[in-house]
Amino acid sequence: NGVDLNRLDHLTTEKSPFSMCNIGRVRYDKGCKELLDSFEKIGDTYPNSTLTFIGQIDGPEEEQQIIKELIRNHKYGTNITVTGRIPFLDAMKIVAQKQVGLHAYSDCNYLRYNHVLKVGEYQALGTVPIAIKYPKAFLVSVMAGWDSAQILKRNIQEKHCAAAMWREFTTRIKQG
């Protein structure tokens, strides 16, 4: 999973207001529950915000049903969209239209080091990455020296990290 910047140059830079996305399969081990919890905190402050899961709900059938129910019963469920599986460039276009790329760290073996790429993907598309659930050791060893490191580090220190980062981000937008 890398970003071919030559394929992305033509994508729109106009952002939908108060819009967030997460790209990838929607699964428990990829942090969908944490993303939904964070979106509720964000929605409490910004009820018109939207969350688009760019990808399909995946995993064992029982888990898929639980995820669908979590979305259906979510306090801001009418503001949540799941695209299902779509072509790569269509997915990149949607990311480019969002203000924030929300991402949850997962410590499972096959995802542990994918997170640097995910943050980079959001940045390459002009979408601000906001990450939740990152352990300090990961930040120190992998993210040291990156601009994203400050965003991720602050997330660890905030009680309601995603909501706090969203407030800071929208305040900066309003100030120009």
Side-chain angles (χ1 to χ4, degrees):
N1 288 347
V3 177
D4 179 357
L5 295 177
N6 294 322
R7 296 179 76 185
L8 306 177
D9 286 340
H10 66 284
L11 296 176
T12 181
T13 56
E14 185 156 330
K15 306 290 184 187
S16 300
F18 299 102
S19 60
M20 300 184 311
C21 67
N22 173 266
I23 188 165
R25 292 172 296 137
V26 184
R27 295 179 54 108
Y28 266 98
D29 62 354
K30 293 187 103 178
C32 74
K33 175 77 167 80
E34 290 83 2
L35 294 172
L36 289 168
D37 291 346
S38 294
F39 185 62
E40 184 169 338
K41 293 172 186 166
I42 291 166
D44 287 344
T45 304
Y46 301 98
N48 293 328
S49 59
T50 61
L51 172 60
T52 302
F53 284 103
I54 306 166
Q56 73 273 18
I57 296 174
D58 195 20
E61 185 61 36
E62 183 179 319
E63 181 180 309
Q64 289 182 41
Q65 293 307 316
I66 292 169
I67 293 169
K68 288 175 185 176
E69 190 164 323
L70 285 171
I71 293 170
R72 190 173 31 257
N73 296 329
H74 193 277
K75 185 175 181 179
Y76 300 100
T78 57
N79 297 6
I80 300 172
T81 305
V82 181
T83 66
R85 188 177 197 147
I86 60 175
F88 175 78
L89 282 179
D90 292 346
M92 296 299 102
K93 287 177 187 175
I94 293 171
V95 173
Q97 294 168 355
K98 304 301 179 186
Q99 287 182 323
V100 170
L102 192 58
H103 182 66
Y105 176 81
S106 176
D107 197 30
C108 68
N109 287 335
Y110 76 100
L111 294 172
R112 188 171 295 133
Y113 298 103
N114 176 280
H115 306 288
V116 174
L117 296 174
K118 190 67 66 180
V119 169
E121 191 171 52
Y122 289 141
Q123 288 179 319
L125 292 162
T127 300
V128 175
I130 295 181
I132 60 173
K133 216 175 99 172
Y134 274 74
K136 263 187 189 169
F138 181 84
L139 288 177
V140 172
S141 64
V142 180
M143 301 299 289
W146 286 39
D147 290 343
S148 302
Q150 290 307 311
I151 293 172
L152 301 175
K153 191 174 185 181
R154 297 237 351 252
N155 273 283
I156 291 172
Q157 298 165 350
E158 296 284 344
K159 183 177 179 188
H160 300 294
C161 56
M165 291 303 295
W166 182 257
R167 279 192 300 276
E168 180 178 324
F169 175 71
T170 55
T171 300
R172 287 183 184 180
I173 288 175
K174 289 174 187 173
Q175 294 172 348

